């Protein structure tokens, strides 16, 4: 299982770092919100609708990753 980081978006001082694992790009909900310049609740709403319509299967596209926040805590 290969895991690496890549910058997929950069605008001045803002960069979006993504993880690539087994040819799949993984972004957190916060990263997706930053990419589209919206708040996280908007991403959650759209994801819920995508899963409800079965356009994507949640177990196939959602990964539970631990995130280390700026305060040093892991979530």
């Amino acid at each position: 299982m290969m895991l690496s980081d890549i910058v997929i978006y950069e605008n001045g001082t803002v960069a979006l770092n993504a993880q690539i694992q087994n040819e799949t790009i993984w972004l957190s909900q916060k990263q997706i919100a930053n990419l589209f310049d919206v708040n996280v609740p908007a991403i959650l709403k759209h994801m819920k609708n995508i899963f409800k319509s079965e356009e994507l299967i949640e177990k196939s596209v959602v990964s539970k990753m631990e995130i280390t926040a700026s305060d040093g805590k892991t979530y």
Side-chain angles (χ1 to χ4, degrees):
M1 189 179 306
M2 188 175 159
L3 182 64
S4 62
D5 291 327
I6 185 172
V7 176
I8 62 169
Y9 175 78
E10 192 168 1
N11 180 9
T13 59
V14 177
L16 180 60
N17 295 309
Q19 291 186 342
I20 299 176
Q21 185 177 23
N22 295 332
E23 300 181 4
T24 301
I25 296 175
W26 292 96
L27 296 172
S28 68
Q29 293 169 354
K30 185 174 182 177
Q31 289 173 311
I32 296 169
N34 286 336
L35 179 63
F36 291 101
D37 196 25
V38 298
N39 294 321
V40 173
I43 299 303
L44 294 172
K45 180 181 89 172
H46 289 291
M47 289 177 65
K48 183 178 175 182
N49 290 334
I50 288 168
F51 298 141
K52 184 177 178 181
S53 71
E54 297 181 353
E55 183 177 343
L56 292 174
I57 307 302
E58 186 172 4
K59 289 182 180 182
S60 300
V61 298
V62 174
S63 174
K64 293 184 180 181
M65 296 182 180
E66 292 181 348
I67 304 296
T68 302
S70 59
D71 63 4
K73 294 180 182 175
T74 301
Y75 299 92

